[in-house]
Amino acid sequence: MNIRKLKIDELYPMELLLLADPSRAIVEEYIQRGHCYIAEHNNYVVGVYVLLPTRPSTVELVNVAVAEEHHGRGIGKGLVRHALETAKSLGYSTVELGTGNSSVGQLALYQKCGFRIVGIDQDFFVRHYPEPIFENEIQCRDMIRLSQDL
């Protein structure tokens, strides 16, 4: 698997990006401000993440997504580790991220990669998304905020 920054003239892998965030409008807004990285396997894009600068020494890891047929192969963990290495090489000292309260697998992955829970934005998904989101038979209501110092 090869992970690389998306080239300026390449199209964003919108299908993958929408797996992690169902709002096309929100995704289109932050991909314009962030840096998109893709994971490729046999010339096929199997994963994506976006690094979004938020403050001088802080970057947010947004939209970590892996094609469903490639789940369970360590690609997500590889993307998160690559994001941490990339953020450090770019001079950031803190990486933050947010995930839904219903995203139990992602929450476990981020903690395995060294992130710590630092807060909860209650009803974030209720306020910012017009349709209810359900995952793992749980309504996604709250944004769980995590952080890691590099």
Side-chain angles (χ1 to χ4, degrees):
M1 180 179 68
N2 177 49
I3 301 175
R4 66 173 177 84
K5 188 173 183 179
L6 194 69
K7 296 174 186 162
I8 293 173
D9 60 342
E10 289 182 291
L11 294 175
Y12 291 98
M14 192 57 73
E15 248 181 64
L16 277 178
L17 291 163
L18 291 172
L19 286 177
D21 189 330
S23 172
R24 181 177 287 273
I26 291 173
V27 170
E28 288 177 348
E29 190 277 326
Y30 64 65
I31 59 175
Q32 297 304 314
R33 297 182 295 120
H35 307 282
C36 186
Y37 293 82
I38 58 172
E40 297 173 307
H41 181 68
N42 294 333
N43 295 318
Y44 175 69
V45 178
V46 297
V48 64
Y49 74 84
V50 177
L51 284 179
L52 184 62
T54 57
R55 294 185 297 283
S57 63
T58 303
V59 66
E60 185 172 0
L61 173 57
V62 296
N63 204 311
V64 178
V66 175
E68 291 180 26
E69 64 270 20
H70 293 277
H71 284 188
R73 298 181 185 177
I75 295 170
K77 187 178 282 188
L79 287 168
V80 172
R81 288 184 175 157
H82 186 273
L84 292 169
E85 292 168 12
T86 300
K88 189 172 187 173
S89 74
L90 293 172
Y92 293 101
S93 58
T94 304
V95 177
E96 298 176 334
L97 62 85
T99 194
N101 62 283
S102 57
S103 301
V104 292
Q106 293 88 331
L107 189 56
L109 167 66
Y110 298 138
Q111 291 178 92
K112 289 177 187 177
C113 290
F115 283 89
R116 303 280 312 269
I117 296 172
V118 294
I120 299 172
D121 186 346
Q122 291 188 337
D123 288 327
F124 176 89
F125 294 98
V126 175
R127 289 191 317 269
H128 295 284
Y129 291 80
E131 300 291 325
I133 301 168
F134 285 87
E135 187 178 24
N136 301 308
E137 298 180 23
I138 302 167
Q139 183 174 1
C140 185
R141 299 182 60 87
D142 305 322
M143 168 89 65
I144 309 298
R145 301 294 305 168
L146 298 99
S147 181
Q148 182 174 156
D149 291 330
L150 301 174

